[in-house]
Amino acid sequence: AQTVTQSQPEMSVQEAETVTLSCTYDTSESDYYLFWYKQPPSRQMILVIRQEAYKQQNATENRFSVNFQKAAKSFSLKISDSQLGDAAMYFCAYRTRRVAGGTSYGKLTFGQGTILTVHP
Amino acid sequence: DGGITQSPKYLFRKEGQNVTLSCEQNLNHDAMYWYRQDPGQGLRLIYYSQIVNDFQKGDIAEGYSVSREKKESFPLTVTSAQKNPTAFYLCASKPRGARNTGELFFGEGSRLTVL
C-alpha cells in the first residue's frame, strides 16, 4: 500500500520569505500523480499544484513550485514571497494512474499535514 | 457556479443515533468520495463511487454506509456502529475520461460532534 509522510507538523515563515514543506512517499508503482493541497481555516481543500510522475520537469504555479525527486520518492513544496493568505494546513497526496479497475481507483492517499504560519 | 455542496456544516447528535450527511455536486463528475479528517491523521477514505448504483469501501468503512442513486448525490450515513464518529467529513468528486486531470474537487465539509 502507498503511504505519504509529512515529517513537519508545523512550519513558520516571515512574510515575503521562502519556505519549503517536505513530503516523502512510498510506492512500488512507476506512474502516478502527486499533489499539494491547501486547507485554510475555512476547511475547504484547495489544489495548489499537481505533478505527474512521468514528467521530469518540476511543476510550477506562480509562487508555488515543487522539487520532485522520483528516485528518492520525495516531493517538496516551495512557497516563494510568502503572503499572509498562505497560512493554512498543507497536505501532500498521492494517486495512482492505474485505470484498470481495482479498489484503489481514483483514491488519494494523504500525508498528515503541515500547519504553515506566516508572520507579518 | 458549479461545485460540491455539503450539508449540514455542523451537526450535533447523541450517541446511538444514525446521522446522514448530504453531498451534492453539479459538476457532472462521475466519481465521488467521502473522507474523514481527524487531527494529526490527514484524510482517510471512507467510501467511494465511480458510477451510479456502484460504490466501494475505502480504508475505514466500518460503521458507515452510502448510496449512489443519482449521479449528483452521494450521501453518507454514520451509523451507531461507528465507535468514534466525531470528526470532520469531506466529500469530493472527480471527472472521468478527457476531463480527468487527476485531482479531486472538495466540498466545504461537515463537522459532526457526537455528545
Side-chain angles (χ1 to χ4, degrees):
Chain A
Q2 295 83 15
T3 59
V4 177
T5 302
Q6 294 178 247
S7 58
Q8 305 156 318
E10 297 184 30
M11 291 284 285
S12 64
V13 64
Q14 289 293 131
E15 198 175 4
E17 298 295 312
T18 296
V19 65
T20 298
L21 307 184
S22 300
C23 172
T24 58
Y25 58 95
D26 187 25
T27 183
S28 59
E29 299 181 341
S30 60
D31 196 12
Y32 47 87
Y33 296 100
L34 293 165
F35 307 94
W36 279 98
Y37 277 88
K38 170 185 177 181
Q39 187 180 43
S42 68
R43 305 298 295 269
Q44 174 131 39
M45 297 284 282
I46 302 165
L47 179 68
V48 175
I49 202 163
R50 173 199 310 110
Q51 176 79 44
E52 292 167 278
Y54 72 87
K55 292 184 178 178
Q56 293 185 339
Q57 187 172 5
N58 289 325
T60 299
E61 288 286 342
N62 300 315
R63 298 181 295 107
F64 299 87
S65 61
V66 298
N67 183 5
F68 173 47
Q69 301 289 327
K70 191 172 184 179
K73 297 180 183 176
S74 170
F75 183 60
S76 60
L77 175 70
K78 185 171 81 171
I79 306 174
S80 303
D81 186 24
S82 296
Q83 300 175 359
L84 294 177
D86 295 333
M89 173 89 83
Y90 286 81
F91 289 96
C92 178
Y94 168 100
R95 207 208 103 182
T96 179
R97 287 193 67 153
R98 178 161 41 100
V99 294
T103 59
S104 63
Y105 179 81
K107 166 187 172 180
L108 285 188
T109 299
F110 287 86
Q112 303 91 328
T114 297
I115 298 172
L116 178 65
T117 301
V118 181
H119 298 290
Chain B
D1 287 339
I4 301 173
T5 302
Q6 290 187 238
S7 63
K9 290 195 184 313
Y10 301 95
L11 185 59
F12 296 87
R13 279 295 181 267
K14 293 181 180 179
E15 259 188 63
Q17 290 183 328
N18 292 356
V19 299
T20 297
L21 307 180
S22 170
C23 178
E24 303 277 335
Q25 54 98 0
N26 60 3
L27 299 167
N28 198 32
H29 287 176
D30 294 281
M32 296 186 74
Y33 305 80
W34 274 106
Y35 281 87
R36 170 180 171 140
Q37 184 176 10
D38 296 282
Q41 295 193 50
L43 280 70
R44 294 179 291 167
L45 182 65
I46 305 172
Y47 267 98
Y48 68 101
S49 168
Q50 298 179 44
I51 56 173
V52 175
N53 293 322
D54 182 65
F55 49 83
Q56 287 80 38
K57 293 181 179 180
D59 299 320
I60 55 165
E62 185 176 351
Y64 299 98
S65 66
V66 293
S67 62
R68 188 85 188 275
E69 298 176 0
K70 299 186 301 181
K71 186 176 183 178
E72 302 80 14
S73 179
F74 191 41
L76 174 73
T77 296
V78 184
T79 75
S80 57
Q82 168 50 232
K83 295 178 182 177
N84 185 18
T86 294
F88 188 66
Y89 292 88
L90 283 158
C91 179
S93 69
K94 182 179 69 65
R96 295 180 73 181
R99 294 192 300 145
N100 180 10
T101 50
E103 74 267 26
L104 299 186
F105 296 79
F106 285 86
E108 294 184 340
S110 294
R111 174 72 184 178
L112 172 63
T113 302
V114 175
L115 306 172

